[in-house]
Amino acid sequence: MIYQSKLAPKFEVNNGKNMDFILSLLNSENENVTELAATIISHSCENSSEQLSLCSAGVPQKLVSLFGGSMNLRDACLDSVTAVIRNNSEVASRFASTDHGKGFRSVVGLIHDRSPRTRLLACLCLIALGHASPCHFQDKQIKTKLIMVLLELIEEPGQVGDEAPLALTTLIKDSLELQKQALTTSAVEKLSNHLLVNSLESRRAVTILLALSELCSKLEESRSQLMSVEASTLILEALKHDWADIRVAACSCLKNISRSPKVLSGGRLSCDTVIGPLVQLLQDSSTSVQVAALGAICNIAVNLTPRKSVLLHSGVVSQLVHLSKSMDPTLRLKSVWALRNIMFLLSPKDKDFIVKELTLSTLSSLICDSEHFVQEQTLALVHNLVDGYVDSANYVIGEDGMVINAIARQLNNASAPGVCIQGMFVLANIAAGNEMNKEAVMNVLLPHRADRVRPSFVVNFLQSKDKQLRVATLWCLLNLIYPKCEASSGRVVRLQNAGVILQVKSMINDPCLDCKLRVRMVLEHCVDNADDCFM
């Protein structure tokens, strides 16, 4: 019984003597002993080397041969097979193909078993097999049957009914094909009806909400179906539930539902009805709830472009600014991401409002955050700030250059590729402005120190394997030397002296078509601006 507890010590199956001991238990004629062996394997098999060792010793085949025993033994063996093949493509492939697929067919047969627990474990085993070795799990009929069995199991009492929606979520996660199949089995309607008939006061409500969330992640029709039932009212109630897990699951649902602009434009879950509760959740005592609410707000901000005043008047900006200063890196990341999405295509007046709430000091600190994902999203926020609004560049180059100096530090430090890409797009947008803007960008690209030019990071960026970074850098150069004027000619000379133009010339046959086009445009403008550019 001890190995049925998660707190039990791990059994080192890679140890030769221990493996012999496991095999001796599996070969016992006492079902209690063989069940113990299967339980030990499920509890202790955690890494690929252990899985391979067990597979090489013929353990999966032995476990399958025990499926004909008692219900408890069969369930223990199914759980053990799942542990051995989980996330291991080699072991899963060998299991599915050994003895002409006998083991695979045996597991498939068990999804029709009389025992609900056995059916669930068989489904979980097939899901693990399909994820580890998709080539052995292509039968559409089996996939559809899995979905139907799991939907039936949701009606079962106890742990089986609680775990069935979670298994369904795992099965269809990130798979458009399986989500379409689930739609044909009326999965959204069945899950929604179960929520409406039963109370939110259960673990099953959490797993059902998460399953509905996944069903709505890719398909517009699934979102429409969910909104056509009374479940939308229940989702709003779930946002205010006492149990944090319910609030997280409801936010996850809203995050995926809000991928549809139609949902936000009216009805029970319009932007007017969901924004208030979500903003309140930003102050939740649970970090998980805050993160989930931020995810929903991020998606809503993207699809709410024509009506962002609803967001701005909700008090969300001040809450996001507060969370951007959190010690938790995930909260900083998600809050900055939400601000970035709100800033997108915003009016100049509203952009000014956000910057004043955020402050340039905080913006500069976030650009130099310890987490490069936060740095990247902050620069994307600045990119949206300067995009389409010429005067907003003053926030970046003004105030003693606080923000642009922070950008320069990150680019000179050659941070993560995403950080460099966003930084160069910010500079490209600023370089599209007036002469003062262009000169500010030139001083970042080719800074002077003690009457000499420091080596520029620009050449390294142009040599990058990341085509997006090369494109962003070329756009910046193009904006710096266009249109033809005396100052542009001077900038061409400075870029030539720093070896930048020579590097651009070497990219004339860049494998990326977008890069190749920008290279030719840069070189054409160089010729227009200075006849001696190629001397």
Side-chain angles (χ1 to χ4, degrees):
M1 293 295 290
I2 187 173
Y3 280 99
Q4 293 180 0
S5 169
K6 292 181 180 179
L7 300 176
K10 302 300 177 187
F11 193 81
E12 298 294 333
V13 295
N14 264 343
N15 180 294
K17 290 183 179 180
N18 286 351
M19 180 66 78
D20 291 340
F21 176 66
I22 288 288
L23 292 174
S24 69
L25 294 181
L26 285 174
N27 288 320
S28 172
E29 293 183 2
N30 186 323
E31 284 200 353
N32 290 332
V33 175
T34 50
E35 182 184 341
L36 171 64
T39 306
I40 291 173
I41 293 169
S42 300
H43 180 77
S44 302
C45 186
E46 292 185 327
N47 58 54
S48 58
S49 64
E50 291 171 338
Q51 291 171 319
L52 284 167
S53 295
L54 289 164
C55 183
S56 298
V59 168
Q61 287 71 39
K62 181 60 181 176
L63 291 167
V64 170
S65 72
L66 296 171
F67 283 173
S70 66
M71 183 177 67
N72 286 345
L73 176 60
R74 184 171 63 245
D75 290 354
C77 289
L78 269 171
D79 198 30
S80 189
V81 170
T82 303
V84 174
I85 66 176
R86 184 182 288 118
N87 299 325
N88 192 315
S89 58
E90 182 179 349
V91 173
S93 179
R94 285 164 65 175
F95 173 76
S97 55
T98 300
D99 294 336
H100 305 290
K102 179 182 177 182
F104 174 71
R105 292 195 302 275
S106 297
V107 176
V108 171
L110 290 177
I111 66 174
H112 303 286
D113 194 86
R114 288 184 300 174
S115 164
R117 181 70 182 164
T118 300
R119 295 203 300 276
L120 175 63
L121 290 170
C123 288
L124 289 171
C125 188
L126 290 172
I127 291 168
L129 177 68
H131 285 172
S133 183
C135 63
H136 290 99
F137 193 65
Q138 296 183 346
D139 190 314
K140 188 174 181 180
Q141 284 186 325
I142 294 177
K143 293 177 182 178
T144 303
K145 184 60 181 177
L146 267 181
I147 293 170
M148 294 174 67
V149 169
L150 290 170
L151 288 171
E152 290 170 2
L153 289 174
I154 291 169
E155 302 300 328
E156 293 292 332
Q159 189 178 3
V160 170
D162 292 344
E163 292 181 6
L166 204 55
L168 178 62
T169 303
T170 306
L171 173 64
I172 64 174
K173 189 172 179 62
D174 299 325
S175 172
L176 181 60
E177 176 207 352
L178 288 174
Q179 289 181 22
K180 285 181 177 178
Q181 283 180 245
L183 190 65
T184 63
T185 62
S186 305
V188 173
E189 183 183 353
K190 290 175 182 177
L191 290 168
S192 300
N193 288 340
H194 189 93
L195 266 186
L196 292 169
V197 172
N198 297 278
S199 169
L200 282 174
E201 311 290 331
S202 67
R203 169 170 165 71
R204 194 169 313 187
V206 176
T207 56
I208 287 177
L209 282 169
L210 292 174
L212 285 170
S213 172
E214 192 59 41
L215 283 165
C216 294
S217 64
K218 296 182 182 297
L219 293 176
E220 182 72 18
E221 191 174 345
S222 291
R223 298 174 200 135
S224 299
Q225 276 194 17
L226 184 56
M227 292 303 94
S228 66
V229 296
E230 296 175 14
S232 55
T233 303
L234 210 60
I235 292 171
L236 285 175
E237 290 177 11
L239 290 175
K240 302 173 183 178
H241 199 275
D242 291 339
W243 191 10
D245 287 352
I246 290 281
R247 299 197 297 276
V248 169
C251 287
S252 178
C253 243
L254 277 178
K255 175 185 174 182
N256 287 335
I257 291 170
S258 61
R259 293 176 188 271
S260 168
K262 292 179 182 178
V263 172
L264 297 174
S265 62
R268 190 72 180 93
L269 282 183
S270 68
C271 60
D272 303 277
T273 58
V274 301
I275 292 299
L278 286 173
V279 173
Q280 286 184 340
L281 291 179
L282 296 181
Q283 303 177 63
D284 200 275
S285 58
S286 165
T287 300
S288 298
V289 173
Q290 290 177 304
V291 170
L294 284 168
I297 290 171
C298 279
N299 277 8
I300 289 171
V302 169
N303 286 315
L304 206 59
T305 300
R307 298 187 58 207
K308 285 192 178 174
S309 59
V310 176
L311 270 174
L312 294 172
H313 293 149
S314 68
V316 71
V317 174
S318 61
Q319 290 296 325
L320 294 175
V321 170
H322 175 71
L323 291 176
S324 73
K325 302 171 186 177
S326 169
M327 295 296 290
D328 188 301
T330 305
L331 286 177
R332 293 201 305 277
L333 172 64
K334 296 286 187 179
S335 58
V336 172
W337 203 325
L339 286 169
R340 167 199 175 177
N341 288 353
I342 294 172
M343 185 73 80
F344 182 62
L345 297 180
L346 210 56
S347 69
K349 179 183 176 182
D350 290 334
K351 285 185 177 183
D352 290 343
F353 167 72
I354 291 179
V355 173
K356 287 174 183 175
E357 285 277 328
L358 185 60
T359 76
L360 297 181
S361 175
T362 300
L363 190 59
S364 302
S365 296
L366 289 167
I367 289 171
C368 299
D369 192 271
S370 58
E371 302 289 332
H372 67 84
F373 292 114
V374 178
Q375 299 168 17
E376 182 179 342
Q377 288 304 318
T378 305
L379 288 168
L381 165 63
V382 178
H383 182 195
N384 286 346
L385 169 64
V386 298
D387 184 40
Y389 178 29
V390 177
D391 291 342
S392 61
N394 294 332
Y395 284 124
V396 181
I397 64 177
E399 295 288 328
D400 297 324
M402 186 188 304
V403 176
I404 201 166
N405 288 340
I407 296 172
R409 282 196 296 275
Q410 294 304 94
L411 296 178
N412 276 293
N413 290 335
S415 302
V419 175
C420 297
I421 291 166
Q422 292 297 339
M424 289 310 299
F425 274 128
V426 170
L427 295 183
N429 271 16
I430 297 172
N434 56 33
E435 285 299 317
M436 183 174 71
N437 292 4
K438 293 179 190 293
E439 191 58 30
V441 173
M442 281 297 293
N443 288 336
V444 172
L445 302 187
L446 304 174
H448 290 277
R449 178 178 290 177
D451 297 325
R452 64 184 177 85
V453 177
R454 291 166 54 193
S456 176
F457 55 80
V458 179
V459 173
N460 291 333
F461 286 4
L462 291 171
Q463 294 171 344
S464 171
K465 293 180 181 179
D466 193 310
K467 63 182 181 182
Q468 281 188 294
L469 181 52
R470 299 199 305 276
V471 169
T473 306
L474 287 166
W475 265 117
C476 185
L477 296 176
L478 193 58
N479 288 344
L480 284 170
I481 62 178
Y482 180 85
K484 180 178 179 180
C485 64
E486 184 177 347
S488 295
S489 299
R491 285 190 286 273
V492 169
V493 172
R494 287 172 64 186
L495 291 167
Q496 181 189 12
N497 291 340
V500 175
I501 301 302
L502 184 63
Q503 174 58 36
V504 174
K505 283 183 65 179
S506 71
M507 299 168 66
I508 195 72
N509 291 316
D510 193 281
C512 170
L513 188 61
D514 204 3
C515 284
K516 188 184 292 187
L517 176 62
R518 307 303 160 210
V519 164
R520 293 186 178 182
M521 292 173 72
V522 168
L523 295 178
E524 286 171 5
H525 285 306
C526 284
V527 173
D528 290 342
N529 278 297
D531 292 335
D532 61 345
C533 184
F534 298 103
M535 288 177 59

